[in-house]
Amino acid sequence: MPAPDIEFQIRSGDKLYSEGCDAIVFCFSADYHEQLTQLPPPIAHVIQQAISRQLTTGSLSMELVVSSLGLYPIPNLIILYNRNRELSLQRIRELGVSTARLAAQHHLQRIAINLTSVHPDSSSTIEGCVGAWTEGIGLGSYSIQSYQLSDMGASNPLNSIEFMIGEGYDLRRLEHTISEAITYSDATNYARDLTNMPSNMLTPSSLADEAMKLAADRSEMSCHVLGMTEIQSLGMGGLSAVGQGSAHQPKMIVLNYQGSSQSDIVYGLIGKGITFDTGGISLKKADGMEEMISDMGGAAVVLGVMQALSRLKLRVNVVAVIPAAENMPSSTAYKPGDIITTMSGRTIEVLNTDAEGRVVLADAITYARKLGATKLIDVATLTGAVLVALGDVATAAITNDDAFLTQLMKAAGRSGEKVWQLPVFPEYKEMLKSSVADLKNSTGSRLAGAITAGLFIGTFADEIPWIHLDTGGTAWLWKARGMDPQGATGAMVRTLLHYLNDPNAIL
């Protein structure tokens, strides 16, 4: 479920809390003894013992909720201990996630955060600190939708956050920072919600409906959706072939965002929208197939970004293209050995129907170019091979323009998301050659699978600046880890937003 509506307030001055708060957050570091002197001795003693025990384990951090025992004006104290005094924005973002999760565990509704106890590193500002903490709270408040009858109507109780700061800060700028951070976390949680939806509830048609809802009543955004007849008439043989085996017909979904009349640059965001992937005739194994509801994770990321663009009113132009389909085995499904003609005119020899993502993205890339995109970024849960290369820790990136990717990597650094560039040596492209078509959709080898899959897509970009982001390892987690929940993570939403917000920013 999306994060609850949380009211954020900023209070400056000597008073570090307002009446009615359930808890106040303090950040402690290695030199925490002076901070303890400001608390009643019984509370200080409990905190001292907890930190001392934690230090014996070698841990660099600790979270603790302590009752004030009626000795402090607020019922509970949340202690966030970090051995390092200076905190990066990513670490502050993580503390925001911890704050939200502790609030849920202890049923806390109103929390005050004492930012005078936080020491950002030298590269950070108070605005960055407030923004990172806000973003973390939004991300940490997310919970996956439950369909159990007993859970219907359950919600996270957290509804109020008060940032306590010193004097002399521009409150209007801080309020703007909070609003922007909320938009970033909301967009990520929206992508998580879409990706977590069961495939009987999210078909190509209902995914198209989501896009239409986003564009409704937004003057700067428009949407159009192509059905099977139009897909075929435009020669989109890749999307048509992959979708023809399902009772739910494919859709080509397009969202246009016009944020700047002064710029000639049009960013093309392409998101893989396979709402369920059985592998088709090249059927996947049964174990773990339920995760394939997440094979439209790239589409969810793109829709999350488009939601945020409209709220942020960013001065960029974006065309989002989502090829949506189900990859199912049936008497009408495409088969190994088929030759497909794509919208670009290039032909594809199908060797494995489970390599369908690159096939639908080929048409989407071509269509984005036809619609005027001058820079392309595709996001896709494309391969299992990326898990072998990078695990579920980092998103793989492939590009034909290193300068373009360098700027996106800087945006990833600002977001705290991990991206790693893969090589594109000519030998990898040779592996895609077919004796009967322009390309084959599978090399038939386990070698360099994430690279060859990405380069297959890049073929259709030709010379246009292009980045491929393979989220096959990062879009979904079987267990919660760090800032990310179990299930869909929304990986790359915030990276793309940081990039589009300031494409030329330095880290």
Side-chain angles (χ1 to χ4, degrees), residues 358 398 428 431-432 443 447-457:
R358 66 203 72 179
I398 293 175
Y428 296 127
M431 296 167 70
L432 292 168
T443 64
L447 302 179
I451 297 173
T452 55
L455 288 175
F456 179 100
I457 299 168

Side-chain angles (χ1 to χ4, degrees), residues 197-227:
M197 285 186 70
S199 63
N200 62 324
M201 298 182 181
L202 188 69
T203 64
S205 291
S206 52
L207 189 62
D209 290 341
E210 281 292 331
M212 295 292 288
K213 289 177 187 176
L214 280 184
D217 301 321
R218 288 181 167 93
S219 60
E220 71 282 355
M221 191 180 295
S222 62
C223 179
H224 72 269
V225 178
L226 306 181

Side-chain angles (χ1 to χ4, degrees), residues 13-280:
D14 296 331
K15 190 175 181 181
L16 295 179
Y17 57 89
S18 66
E19 302 299 332
C21 281
D22 298 315
I24 185 168
V25 177
F26 290 98
C27 281
F28 282 26
S29 57
D31 55 354
Y32 62 91
H33 296 89
E34 182 178 345
Q35 289 174 281
L36 288 179
T37 63
Q38 302 171 26
L39 299 174
I43 300 176
H45 179 68
V46 172
I47 297 171
Q48 167 77 65
Q49 286 189 320
I51 294 177
S52 297
R53 284 194 300 268
Q54 195 72 14
L55 289 176
T56 63
T57 68
S59 176
L60 298 178
S61 63
M62 182 198 72
E63 303 164 0
L64 179 68
V65 178
V66 181
S67 170
S68 70
L69 305 173
L71 302 173
Y72 200 76
I74 293 179
N76 300 282
L77 283 73
I78 298 176
I79 307 302
L80 303 177
Y81 172 78
N82 297 273
R83 184 172 295 183
N84 296 327
R85 176 179 171 84
E86 291 192 352
L87 304 177
S88 68
L89 288 185
Q90 175 60 9
R91 181 58 189 143
I92 293 171
R93 194 178 285 117
E94 291 167 355
L95 294 179
V97 171
S98 297
T99 301
R101 290 176 180 170
L102 289 169
Q105 292 167 17
H106 295 270
H107 308 287
L108 306 173
Q109 293 185 310
R110 296 186 62 189
I111 293 178
I113 299 173
N114 179 8
L115 287 185
T116 65
S117 69
V118 181
H119 302 282
D121 62 25
S122 58
S123 64
S124 305
T125 62
I126 185 64
E127 288 88 358
C129 178
V130 169
W133 209 305
T134 301
E135 192 175 301
I137 287 170
L139 296 172
S141 298
Y142 179 81
S143 60
I144 192 169
Q145 173 70 55
S146 171
Y147 299 96
Q148 296 173 328
L149 184 61
S150 60
D151 284 348
M152 293 299 182
S155 63
N156 191 312
L158 182 61
N159 59 40
S160 175
I161 294 289
E162 297 179 359
F163 289 115
M164 308 304 171
I165 63 174
E167 299 282 4
Y169 295 108
D170 186 335
L171 297 186
R172 189 179 296 275
R173 287 184 61 183
L174 290 174
E175 289 168 356
H176 173 77
T177 298
I178 288 173
S179 176
E180 187 173 273
I182 291 171
T183 299
Y184 279 40
S185 62
D186 282 353
T188 303
N189 290 336
Y190 174 56
R192 290 170 172 177
D193 267 348
L194 290 175
T195 307
N196 282 325
M197 285 186 70
S199 63
N200 62 324
M201 298 182 181
L202 188 69
T203 64
S205 291
S206 52
L207 189 62
D209 290 341
E210 281 292 331
M212 295 292 288
K213 289 177 187 176
L214 280 184
D217 301 321
R218 288 181 167 93
S219 60
E220 71 282 355
M221 191 180 295
S222 62
C223 179
H224 72 269
V225 178
L226 306 181
M228 181 61 113
T229 300
E230 294 163 299
I231 288 168
Q232 291 176 333
S233 67
L234 289 172
M236 299 177 180
L239 180 56
S240 172
V242 171
Q244 70 191 29
S246 173
H248 298 287
Q249 292 193 345
K251 305 289 183 183
M252 185 66 89
I253 304 165
V254 177
L255 281 164
N256 276 287
Y257 173 81
Q258 297 293 324
S260 174
S261 60
Q262 307 300 315
S263 176
D264 294 329
I265 297 174
V266 178
Y267 293 99
L269 299 184
I270 298 94
K272 176 185 171 185
I274 302 298
T275 56
F276 195 78
D277 182 17
T278 67

Side-chain angles (χ1 to χ4, degrees), residues 426-460:
E427 290 86 348
Y428 296 127
K429 296 180 181 180
E430 289 293 317
M431 296 167 70
L432 292 168
K433 288 186 175 180
S434 165
S435 60
V436 293
D438 295 311
L439 295 164
K440 54 187 178 184
N441 81 325
S442 174
T443 64
S445 167
R446 293 177 62 85
L447 302 179
I451 297 173
T452 55
L455 288 175
F456 179 100
I457 299 168
T459 301
F460 296 85

